[in-house]
Amino acid sequence: MDNREIARLLAETADLMEIAGEDAFRVRSFRNGAAAVENYPENLCEIAATNPRRLTDIPGIGKSLAAAIQEICRRGSFERRDQLLAKYPPTALELLKIQGLGPKTIALLWEHYRVSTVDDLERLCKEQKLRVLPRMGPKLEEKILRSITHYRQSAGRFLLSFADETCRQILEFLAPVEGIERITPAGSLRRGKETVGDLDLLVTGPNASAALDRFTQYPDIVELLSHGSNKASAKIGPQAIQVDIRALPSDSYGAALQYFTGSKEHNIALRNRALKLGYSLSEYGLFTLKDERKVAGRTEEEIYERLGLAWIPPELRENQGEIEAAAEGRLPDLVRFDQIRGDLHAHTTESDGRATLEEMAQAARALGYSYLAITDHSKALAMANGLDETRVIAFARKVRELNARGDLGIRLLAGIECDIRRDGTMDLADDALAELDIVIGSIHSYMNLEPAEMTDRLLRALESPYLHVLGHPTGRLLLAREGYAYDFERVAQEAARRNVAFEINASPERLDLYDVRLRAAKALGCRFVIATDAHHPRHLEYMRYGVMMARRGWLQPSDVLNTLSWEELARALRRG
Ligand code: DGT
Ligand code: CA
Ligand code: CA
Ligand code: ZN
């Protein structure tokens, strides 16, 4: 059992404890324990087997959690969890994924109506049976129905980072097979879409079908769906993500890669263009209509070229004007990861990060960056130990001293992720903000305001002369929470006018902003920073996902401020 699975069981138990109305302190200790387990570098079951007393040495793991972990390693569950699952059906956990439905409400619905599934809940809302309960009304029923729709759209999809990591592990497992020329992920993963339905892998080489055979031996397979000489499909891991893997001859590899990369909409448009030019296009190649002669198929480039097009980067293949742009030679020169010179959003142990400033600096330097902005939370986030004015000023001084000492090997920027209050004012006084190199303003509370009020709140925030960046601008959490509602265009216009950049938050649960909004904001003259919101040195590597989003938004290096050197960036940040 790996740490992630142990963490999942602990977190799930915390959810059930919350539904059962247990002491908030105990619930939190389970949550913290789950986070500690997930981030721990060694396998906990090995420790439990060899030296169980070491478990309580792990910060966040006390005696009772250590006992729970030992029990989990022994038999896959533990007593407290079993008791709770006897009381509430496991489907009750699914209800927690419905936005706007907290554990207290779920407990109440269970008490009154024995609601335990999403379908039950939907029926009750439609029959207007929620509004008769205390503190509930028609508005809540409406909101829950909307959330259920969103939940169903998300069901069966996975975060890009999860799909990417799963793919990496499979590729590693297949690496020893000999006689393979290439294995490439296609589908939505190759296009860098923020959520992925299933994985599509393509293999070519004289021994490609042996890769399929080996794939069926992958240790994490929970269900083998099919296995032939050209294709194998299986569901993998506790989340049962589906993987389709295809073996292909080299002379049609490009055609297959093009076809299985999609998107479906892009393919349909491309096929129509082929027909107009006298060709048929399929996963086997590009053929003349007249005598079915194959004219391209080995590489993607030769297919696009035959169709009079520049090669189109996968991130653009959504049939959003990329084919026209490729025909007219005006595809954007998309920003690349190797052009990123620094990260502009990172947390440390000063607030809710897990590493010290020095550790974060070292990790950023290892990535080859020339600067890193430390942007811990401000005081409104008391739970995260946010900084007040006094601490901000002391922190800015410390950063200046560290930079002056000159032995970090990287330039640190003193920053803050300043909370935007309900009324749109900044959580910190101007004289403290003035001490900082970079100020990100973010919303972390009152996310359900009416759109007009939320728009005013953001416009007011943009008035602050110290604000440089609007952090995670939609507030969405992928597969969990929709962004808050406001007039995006008005806010983007005002951000452009006041020279406040939009963040592309690269954290895999956020990826915020995203393609459509990026293009809209760019058209209005906005500029962007790509930043990871790292709470751990490892998270700095999420930058790649942020760059994918930027590319999906057609952004060029000149649109992205952290492609600049620190000196240029400092000038660009200065408020105009
Ligand atoms: P996903 O898995 O839902 O995140 O999205 P995709 O884009 O990976 O879709 P998937 O796995 O169903 O299919 C992979 C690619 O295969 C898709 O992007 C385009 C191609 N494809 C699948 N079905 C069709 C189809 O009916 N027509 C065309 N033209 N292409 C298709
Ligand atoms: Ca797919
Ligand atoms: Ca597929
Ligand atoms: Zn934030």
Side-chain angles (χ1 to χ4, degrees), residues 179-235:
I180 300 299
E181 272 160 24
R182 287 214 284 163
I183 309 184
T184 321
S188 48
L189 175 60
R190 183 165 182 241
R191 301 200 310 281
K193 212 170 145 100
E194 53 264 58
T195 64
V196 167
D198 67 4
L199 293 178
D200 308 280
L201 298 180
L202 305 181
V203 196
T204 193
N207 208 14
S209 69
L212 267 52
D213 298 340
R214 177 154 169 91
F215 170 72
T216 63
Q217 305 302 312
Y218 190 68
D220 249 9
I221 288 182
V222 289
E223 189 185 355
L224 185 63
L225 302 166
S226 70
H227 177 205
S229 59
N230 299 325
K231 188 187 166 198
S233 289
K235 298 203 170 193

Short mmCIF file of all heavy atoms in Angstrom, two decimals, residues 179-235:
data_model
loop_
_atom_site.label_atom_id
_atom_site.label_comp_id
_atom_site.label_asym_id
_atom_site.label_seq_id
_atom_site.Cartn_x
_atom_site.Cartn_y
_atom_site.Cartn_z
N GLY A 179 13.38 -3.17 -29.34
CA GLY A 179 12.75 -3.09 -30.65
C GLY A 179 11.61 -2.09 -30.72
O GLY A 179 10.68 -2.24 -31.51
N ILE A 180 11.66 -1.08 -29.84
CA ILE A 180 10.64 -0.02 -29.85
C ILE A 180 11.32 1.26 -30.33
O ILE A 180 12.37 1.63 -29.82
CB ILE A 180 10.09 0.22 -28.43
CG1 ILE A 180 9.46 -1.05 -27.87
CG2 ILE A 180 9.09 1.38 -28.41
CD1 ILE A 180 8.31 -1.56 -28.65
N GLU A 181 10.72 1.92 -31.31
CA GLU A 181 11.29 3.19 -31.76
C GLU A 181 10.77 4.35 -30.93
O GLU A 181 11.54 5.19 -30.47
CB GLU A 181 10.96 3.44 -33.24
CG GLU A 181 11.99 2.83 -34.17
CD GLU A 181 11.43 2.65 -35.58
OE1 GLU A 181 10.48 3.39 -35.94
OE2 GLU A 181 11.93 1.76 -36.30
N ARG A 182 9.46 4.40 -30.77
CA ARG A 182 8.88 5.53 -30.04
C ARG A 182 7.62 5.11 -29.29
O ARG A 182 6.84 4.29 -29.78
CB ARG A 182 8.48 6.64 -31.02
CG ARG A 182 9.68 7.39 -31.59
CD ARG A 182 9.32 8.84 -31.83
NE ARG A 182 8.49 9.01 -33.01
CZ ARG A 182 7.77 10.10 -33.28
NH1 ARG A 182 7.76 11.12 -32.43
NH2 ARG A 182 7.06 10.20 -34.37
N ILE A 183 7.43 5.67 -28.11
CA ILE A 183 6.14 5.57 -27.42
C ILE A 183 5.73 7.00 -27.11
O ILE A 183 6.48 7.74 -26.46
CB ILE A 183 6.23 4.79 -26.10
CG1 ILE A 183 6.91 3.43 -26.32
CG2 ILE A 183 4.84 4.59 -25.51
CD1 ILE A 183 6.93 2.56 -25.07
N THR A 184 4.55 7.40 -27.57
CA THR A 184 4.13 8.79 -27.40
C THR A 184 2.73 8.85 -26.82
O THR A 184 1.83 8.16 -27.30
CB THR A 184 4.09 9.51 -28.77
OG1 THR A 184 5.20 9.07 -29.54
CG2 THR A 184 4.13 11.00 -28.59
N PRO A 185 2.52 9.67 -25.81
CA PRO A 185 1.15 9.93 -25.38
C PRO A 185 0.45 10.81 -26.41
O PRO A 185 1.05 11.76 -26.91
CB PRO A 185 1.30 10.65 -24.04
CG PRO A 185 2.71 11.12 -23.98
CD PRO A 185 3.52 10.35 -24.97
N ALA A 186 -0.80 10.49 -26.74
CA ALA A 186 -1.59 11.32 -27.65
C ALA A 186 -2.79 11.87 -26.87
O ALA A 186 -2.67 12.08 -25.66
CB ALA A 186 -2.01 10.49 -28.85
N GLY A 187 -3.91 12.09 -27.54
CA GLY A 187 -5.14 12.50 -26.85
C GLY A 187 -5.02 13.81 -26.10
O GLY A 187 -4.13 14.63 -26.35
N SER A 188 -5.93 13.99 -25.14
CA SER A 188 -6.03 15.25 -24.42
C SER A 188 -4.77 15.52 -23.59
O SER A 188 -4.44 16.67 -23.32
CB SER A 188 -7.26 15.25 -23.52
OG SER A 188 -7.32 14.05 -22.78
N LEU A 189 -4.06 14.47 -23.18
CA LEU A 189 -2.82 14.68 -22.43
C LEU A 189 -1.79 15.41 -23.30
O LEU A 189 -1.16 16.36 -22.86
CB LEU A 189 -2.25 13.33 -21.96
CG LEU A 189 -0.90 13.36 -21.26
CD1 LEU A 189 -0.94 14.23 -20.01
CD2 LEU A 189 -0.44 11.95 -20.89
N ARG A 190 -1.66 14.99 -24.54
CA ARG A 190 -0.70 15.67 -25.42
C ARG A 190 -1.13 17.11 -25.71
O ARG A 190 -0.30 17.99 -25.88
CB ARG A 190 -0.55 14.88 -26.73
CG ARG A 190 0.50 15.49 -27.67
CD ARG A 190 0.91 14.51 -28.77
NE ARG A 190 1.94 15.07 -29.63
CZ ARG A 190 1.79 15.28 -30.94
NH1 ARG A 190 0.66 14.94 -31.55
NH2 ARG A 190 2.78 15.80 -31.64
N ARG A 191 -2.43 17.33 -25.74
CA ARG A 191 -2.92 18.70 -25.98
C ARG A 191 -2.84 19.57 -24.72
O ARG A 191 -3.15 20.74 -24.75
CB ARG A 191 -4.37 18.67 -26.48
CG ARG A 191 -4.59 17.89 -27.77
CD ARG A 191 -5.87 18.27 -28.49
NE ARG A 191 -7.05 18.28 -27.63
CZ ARG A 191 -7.73 17.20 -27.26
NH1 ARG A 191 -7.36 16.00 -27.67
NH2 ARG A 191 -8.80 17.31 -26.48
N GLY A 192 -2.47 18.95 -23.59
CA GLY A 192 -2.32 19.71 -22.35
C GLY A 192 -3.63 20.19 -21.77
O GLY A 192 -3.70 21.20 -21.07
N LYS A 193 -4.70 19.44 -22.02
CA LYS A 193 -6.00 19.84 -21.49
C LYS A 193 -5.99 19.69 -19.97
O LYS A 193 -5.36 18.79 -19.44
CB LYS A 193 -7.08 18.96 -22.11
CG LYS A 193 -8.38 19.67 -22.28
CD LYS A 193 -9.32 18.84 -23.11
CE LYS A 193 -10.66 19.09 -22.57
NZ LYS A 193 -11.65 19.79 -22.86
N GLU A 194 -6.69 20.58 -19.27
CA GLU A 194 -6.55 20.61 -17.81
C GLU A 194 -7.14 19.39 -17.11
O GLU A 194 -6.75 19.08 -15.98
CB GLU A 194 -7.11 21.90 -17.23
CG GLU A 194 -8.53 22.23 -17.63
CD GLU A 194 -8.60 23.19 -18.81
OE1 GLU A 194 -8.04 22.86 -19.89
OE2 GLU A 194 -9.22 24.25 -18.68
N THR A 195 -8.09 18.71 -17.76
CA THR A 195 -8.51 17.41 -17.24
C THR A 195 -8.50 16.41 -18.40
O THR A 195 -8.66 16.79 -19.55
CB THR A 195 -9.93 17.43 -16.63
OG1 THR A 195 -10.88 17.73 -17.66
CG2 THR A 195 -10.03 18.45 -15.50
N VAL A 196 -8.32 15.15 -18.04
CA VAL A 196 -8.12 14.11 -19.04
C VAL A 196 -9.10 12.97 -18.76
O VAL A 196 -9.27 12.56 -17.61
CB VAL A 196 -6.66 13.61 -18.97
CG1 VAL A 196 -6.47 12.33 -19.76
CG2 VAL A 196 -5.71 14.70 -19.47
N GLY A 197 -9.76 12.47 -19.81
CA GLY A 197 -10.71 11.37 -19.65
C GLY A 197 -10.01 10.03 -19.62
O GLY A 197 -10.22 9.22 -18.71
N ASP A 198 -9.18 9.77 -20.61
CA ASP A 198 -8.39 8.54 -20.61
C ASP A 198 -7.07 8.79 -21.32
O ASP A 198 -6.88 9.81 -21.97
CB ASP A 198 -9.17 7.36 -21.22
CG ASP A 198 -9.42 7.54 -22.70
OD1 ASP A 198 -8.94 8.51 -23.30
OD2 ASP A 198 -10.10 6.67 -23.28
N LEU A 199 -6.15 7.84 -21.16
CA LEU A 199 -4.82 7.97 -21.75
C LEU A 199 -4.78 7.22 -23.08
O LEU A 199 -5.28 6.10 -23.17
CB LEU A 199 -3.76 7.38 -20.82
CG LEU A 199 -3.54 8.10 -19.50
CD1 LEU A 199 -2.50 7.36 -18.67
CD2 LEU A 199 -3.11 9.53 -19.75
N ASP A 200 -4.18 7.84 -24.07
CA ASP A 200 -4.03 7.21 -25.39
C ASP A 200 -2.54 7.17 -25.70
O ASP A 200 -1.92 8.21 -25.88
CB ASP A 200 -4.75 8.05 -26.45
CG ASP A 200 -6.20 8.33 -26.05
OD1 ASP A 200 -7.03 7.44 -26.24
OD2 ASP A 200 -6.48 9.44 -25.53
N LEU A 201 -1.97 5.96 -25.74
CA LEU A 201 -0.53 5.82 -26.01
C LEU A 201 -0.31 5.15 -27.35
O LEU A 201 -1.05 4.22 -27.71
CB LEU A 201 0.15 4.98 -24.92
CG LEU A 201 0.12 5.52 -23.50
CD1 LEU A 201 0.82 4.55 -22.55
CD2 LEU A 201 0.79 6.87 -23.45
N LEU A 202 0.68 5.60 -28.08
CA LEU A 202 1.00 5.02 -29.38
C LEU A 202 2.43 4.49 -29.37
O LEU A 202 3.33 5.16 -28.89
CB LEU A 202 0.87 6.09 -30.47
CG LEU A 202 -0.48 6.81 -30.55
CD1 LEU A 202 -0.46 7.82 -31.68
CD2 LEU A 202 -1.63 5.82 -30.75
N VAL A 203 2.60 3.28 -29.91
CA VAL A 203 3.92 2.66 -29.95
C VAL A 203 4.25 2.30 -31.39
O VAL A 203 3.39 1.80 -32.12
CB VAL A 203 3.95 1.32 -29.16
CG1 VAL A 203 5.37 0.89 -28.89
CG2 VAL A 203 3.15 1.41 -27.90
N THR A 204 5.50 2.51 -31.75
CA THR A 204 5.94 2.02 -33.06
C THR A 204 7.33 1.40 -32.95
O THR A 204 8.05 1.66 -31.98
CB THR A 204 5.90 3.15 -34.12
OG1 THR A 204 6.03 2.56 -35.40
CG2 THR A 204 7.04 4.14 -33.92
N GLY A 205 7.67 0.59 -33.96
CA GLY A 205 8.96 -0.12 -33.94
C GLY A 205 8.72 -1.56 -34.33
O GLY A 205 7.57 -2.04 -34.27
N PRO A 206 9.79 -2.28 -34.72
CA PRO A 206 9.63 -3.67 -35.19
C PRO A 206 9.01 -4.59 -34.14
O PRO A 206 8.43 -5.61 -34.47
CB PRO A 206 11.07 -4.09 -35.53
CG PRO A 206 11.97 -3.07 -34.93
CD PRO A 206 11.18 -1.81 -34.80
N ASN A 207 9.11 -4.22 -32.87
CA ASN A 207 8.63 -5.10 -31.81
C ASN A 207 7.49 -4.45 -31.01
O ASN A 207 7.32 -4.71 -29.83
CB ASN A 207 9.81 -5.44 -30.89
CG ASN A 207 9.62 -6.78 -30.23
OD1 ASN A 207 8.76 -7.56 -30.63
ND2 ASN A 207 10.40 -7.04 -29.20
N ALA A 208 6.70 -3.58 -31.68
CA ALA A 208 5.71 -2.78 -30.97
C ALA A 208 4.71 -3.63 -30.20
O ALA A 208 4.29 -3.26 -29.09
CB ALA A 208 5.00 -1.85 -31.94
N SER A 209 4.33 -4.79 -30.78
CA SER A 209 3.29 -5.57 -30.10
C SER A 209 3.82 -6.17 -28.79
O SER A 209 3.05 -6.48 -27.88
CB SER A 209 2.71 -6.64 -31.01
OG SER A 209 3.69 -7.62 -31.24
N ALA A 210 5.16 -6.30 -28.67
CA ALA A 210 5.72 -6.78 -27.40
C ALA A 210 5.50 -5.76 -26.29
O ALA A 210 5.36 -6.12 -25.11
CB ALA A 210 7.21 -7.07 -27.55
N ALA A 211 5.45 -4.48 -26.66
CA ALA A 211 5.17 -3.44 -25.66
C ALA A 211 3.75 -3.61 -25.13
O ALA A 211 3.48 -3.41 -23.95
CB ALA A 211 5.36 -2.05 -26.27
N LEU A 212 2.83 -4.01 -26.04
CA LEU A 212 1.45 -4.25 -25.61
C LEU A 212 1.41 -5.42 -24.64
O LEU A 212 0.71 -5.38 -23.61
CB LEU A 212 0.56 -4.54 -26.82
CG LEU A 212 -0.17 -3.36 -27.45
CD1 LEU A 212 0.77 -2.21 -27.76
CD2 LEU A 212 -0.92 -3.80 -28.70
N ASP A 213 2.15 -6.49 -24.97
CA ASP A 213 2.18 -7.66 -24.08
C ASP A 213 2.70 -7.27 -22.71
O ASP A 213 2.14 -7.65 -21.69
CB ASP A 213 3.09 -8.76 -24.67
CG ASP A 213 2.57 -9.27 -26.01
OD1 ASP A 213 1.35 -9.06 -26.27
OD2 ASP A 213 3.35 -9.85 -26.77
N ARG A 214 3.79 -6.50 -22.71
CA ARG A 214 4.33 -6.10 -21.41
C ARG A 214 3.35 -5.20 -20.66
O ARG A 214 3.19 -5.31 -19.45
CB ARG A 214 5.68 -5.39 -21.57
CG ARG A 214 6.23 -4.89 -20.22
CD ARG A 214 7.74 -4.77 -20.22
NE ARG A 214 8.22 -4.06 -19.03
CZ ARG A 214 8.57 -4.64 -17.89
NH1 ARG A 214 8.49 -5.95 -17.76
NH2 ARG A 214 9.00 -3.92 -16.87
N PHE A 215 2.67 -4.32 -21.40
CA PHE A 215 1.69 -3.44 -20.75
C PHE A 215 0.65 -4.25 -19.97
O PHE A 215 0.26 -3.86 -18.87
CB PHE A 215 1.00 -2.55 -21.80
CG PHE A 215 -0.18 -1.80 -21.25
CD1 PHE A 215 0.01 -0.73 -20.38
CD2 PHE A 215 -1.48 -2.16 -21.59
CE1 PHE A 215 -1.08 -0.04 -19.86
CE2 PHE A 215 -2.58 -1.48 -21.06
CZ PHE A 215 -2.37 -0.41 -20.20
N THR A 216 0.23 -5.38 -20.53
CA THR A 216 -0.80 -6.18 -19.83
C THR A 216 -0.26 -6.79 -18.53
O THR A 216 -1.03 -7.29 -17.72
CB THR A 216 -1.35 -7.31 -20.72
OG1 THR A 216 -0.28 -8.21 -21.02
CG2 THR A 216 -1.95 -6.77 -22.01
N GLN A 217 1.07 -6.72 -18.34
CA GLN A 217 1.67 -7.18 -17.07
C GLN A 217 1.85 -6.05 -16.07
O GLN A 217 2.41 -6.25 -15.00
CB GLN A 217 3.06 -7.79 -17.34
CG GLN A 217 3.08 -8.90 -18.38
CD GLN A 217 2.17 -10.04 -17.98
OE1 GLN A 217 2.21 -10.50 -16.85
NE2 GLN A 217 1.30 -10.46 -18.90
N TYR A 218 1.41 -4.84 -16.44
CA TYR A 218 1.61 -3.68 -15.56
C TYR A 218 0.98 -3.97 -14.19
O TYR A 218 -0.19 -4.37 -14.11
CB TYR A 218 0.98 -2.43 -16.21
CG TYR A 218 1.32 -1.14 -15.51
CD1 TYR A 218 2.61 -0.64 -15.53
CD2 TYR A 218 0.34 -0.42 -14.83
CE1 TYR A 218 2.93 0.56 -14.90
CE2 TYR A 218 0.65 0.77 -14.20
CZ TYR A 218 1.95 1.26 -14.24
OH TYR A 218 2.25 2.44 -13.61
N PRO A 219 1.73 -3.77 -13.10
CA PRO A 219 1.25 -4.24 -11.79
C PRO A 219 -0.02 -3.54 -11.29
O PRO A 219 -0.74 -4.10 -10.49
CB PRO A 219 2.44 -3.95 -10.85
CG PRO A 219 3.36 -3.04 -11.60
CD PRO A 219 3.11 -3.27 -13.05
N ASP A 220 -0.30 -2.33 -11.78
CA ASP A 220 -1.42 -1.56 -11.25
C ASP A 220 -2.74 -1.78 -12.00
O ASP A 220 -3.71 -1.08 -11.75
CB ASP A 220 -1.08 -0.06 -11.32
CG ASP A 220 -0.90 0.52 -9.94
OD1 ASP A 220 -0.87 -0.27 -8.98
OD2 ASP A 220 -0.80 1.75 -9.82
N ILE A 221 -2.77 -2.76 -12.90
CA ILE A 221 -4.00 -2.97 -13.67
C ILE A 221 -5.10 -3.54 -12.78
O ILE A 221 -4.88 -4.52 -12.06
CB ILE A 221 -3.73 -3.91 -14.87
CG1 ILE A 221 -2.90 -3.16 -15.92
CG2 ILE A 221 -5.04 -4.43 -15.47
CD1 ILE A 221 -2.61 -3.95 -17.17
N VAL A 222 -6.25 -2.88 -12.76
CA VAL A 222 -7.37 -3.42 -11.98
C VAL A 222 -8.36 -4.16 -12.88
O VAL A 222 -9.12 -4.99 -12.42
CB VAL A 222 -8.11 -2.32 -11.17
CG1 VAL A 222 -7.24 -1.83 -10.02
CG2 VAL A 222 -8.54 -1.16 -12.05
N GLU A 223 -8.34 -3.83 -14.20
CA GLU A 223 -9.23 -4.56 -15.11
C GLU A 223 -8.63 -4.51 -16.51
O GLU A 223 -8.39 -3.42 -17.04
CB GLU A 223 -10.62 -3.90 -15.11
CG GLU A 223 -11.65 -4.72 -15.85
CD GLU A 223 -13.01 -4.00 -15.95
OE1 GLU A 223 -13.15 -2.91 -15.37
OE2 GLU A 223 -13.88 -4.53 -16.65
N LEU A 224 -8.37 -5.68 -17.07
CA LEU A 224 -7.88 -5.73 -18.45
C LEU A 224 -9.09 -5.78 -19.37
O LEU A 224 -9.88 -6.72 -19.30
CB LEU A 224 -6.98 -6.95 -18.64
CG LEU A 224 -6.29 -7.06 -20.00
CD1 LEU A 224 -5.34 -5.90 -20.24
CD2 LEU A 224 -5.55 -8.39 -20.12
N LEU A 225 -9.25 -4.77 -20.22
CA LEU A 225 -10.46 -4.67 -21.03
C LEU A 225 -10.31 -5.40 -22.36
O LEU A 225 -11.26 -5.98 -22.86
CB LEU A 225 -10.82 -3.20 -21.29
CG LEU A 225 -11.04 -2.36 -20.03
CD1 LEU A 225 -11.06 -0.88 -20.38
CD2 LEU A 225 -12.35 -2.75 -19.36
N SER A 226 -9.12 -5.32 -22.95
CA SER A 226 -8.90 -6.02 -24.22
C SER A 226 -7.41 -6.15 -24.47
O SER A 226 -6.61 -5.36 -23.95
CB SER A 226 -9.56 -5.27 -25.38
OG SER A 226 -8.86 -4.06 -25.62
N HIS A 227 -7.01 -7.14 -25.27
CA HIS A 227 -5.61 -7.31 -25.60
C HIS A 227 -5.49 -8.04 -26.92
O HIS A 227 -5.77 -9.23 -27.00
CB HIS A 227 -4.89 -8.09 -24.48
CG HIS A 227 -3.45 -8.36 -24.79
ND1 HIS A 227 -2.76 -9.41 -24.23
CD2 HIS A 227 -2.58 -7.72 -25.60
CE1 HIS A 227 -1.51 -9.39 -24.70
NE2 HIS A 227 -1.37 -8.39 -25.52
N GLY A 228 -5.15 -7.29 -27.98
CA GLY A 228 -4.88 -7.92 -29.27
C GLY A 228 -3.48 -7.58 -29.70
O GLY A 228 -2.69 -7.08 -28.90
N SER A 229 -3.15 -7.81 -30.98
CA SER A 229 -1.77 -7.53 -31.40
C SER A 229 -1.59 -6.05 -31.74
O SER A 229 -0.47 -5.56 -31.78
CB SER A 229 -1.40 -8.41 -32.59
OG SER A 229 -2.29 -8.15 -33.65
N ASN A 230 -2.70 -5.33 -32.00
CA ASN A 230 -2.60 -3.91 -32.35
C ASN A 230 -3.03 -2.98 -31.24
O ASN A 230 -2.71 -1.79 -31.27
CB ASN A 230 -3.46 -3.59 -33.57
CG ASN A 230 -3.02 -4.38 -34.77
OD1 ASN A 230 -1.82 -4.62 -34.94
ND2 ASN A 230 -3.97 -4.81 -35.57
N LYS A 231 -3.81 -3.49 -30.28
CA LYS A 231 -4.35 -2.60 -29.27
C LYS A 231 -4.57 -3.33 -27.97
O LYS A 231 -4.98 -4.50 -27.98
CB LYS A 231 -5.67 -2.00 -29.76
CG LYS A 231 -6.20 -0.93 -28.84
CD LYS A 231 -7.58 -0.43 -29.21
CE LYS A 231 -8.10 0.36 -28.02
NZ LYS A 231 -9.53 0.57 -27.99
N ALA A 232 -4.27 -2.66 -26.87
CA ALA A 232 -4.64 -3.19 -25.55
C ALA A 232 -5.27 -2.05 -24.76
O ALA A 232 -4.92 -0.89 -24.93
CB ALA A 232 -3.42 -3.73 -24.82
N SER A 233 -6.24 -2.40 -23.89
CA SER A 233 -6.90 -1.41 -23.04
C SER A 233 -7.01 -1.98 -21.65
O SER A 233 -7.31 -3.16 -21.48
CB SER A 233 -8.32 -1.12 -23.53
OG SER A 233 -8.28 -0.39 -24.70
N ALA A 234 -6.79 -1.12 -20.66
CA ALA A 234 -6.94 -1.57 -19.28
C ALA A 234 -7.29 -0.41 -18.38
O ALA A 234 -7.04 0.75 -18.74
CB ALA A 234 -5.65 -2.23 -18.80
N LYS A 235 -7.88 -0.72 -17.23
CA LYS A 235 -8.09 0.30 -16.20
C LYS A 235 -7.01 0.13 -15.15
O LYS A 235 -6.68 -0.99 -14.78
CB LYS A 235 -9.48 0.17 -15.60
CG LYS A 235 -10.55 0.39 -16.64
CD LYS A 235 -11.86 0.81 -16.04
CE LYS A 235 -12.78 1.25 -17.18
NZ LYS A 235 -13.95 1.94 -16.71
#
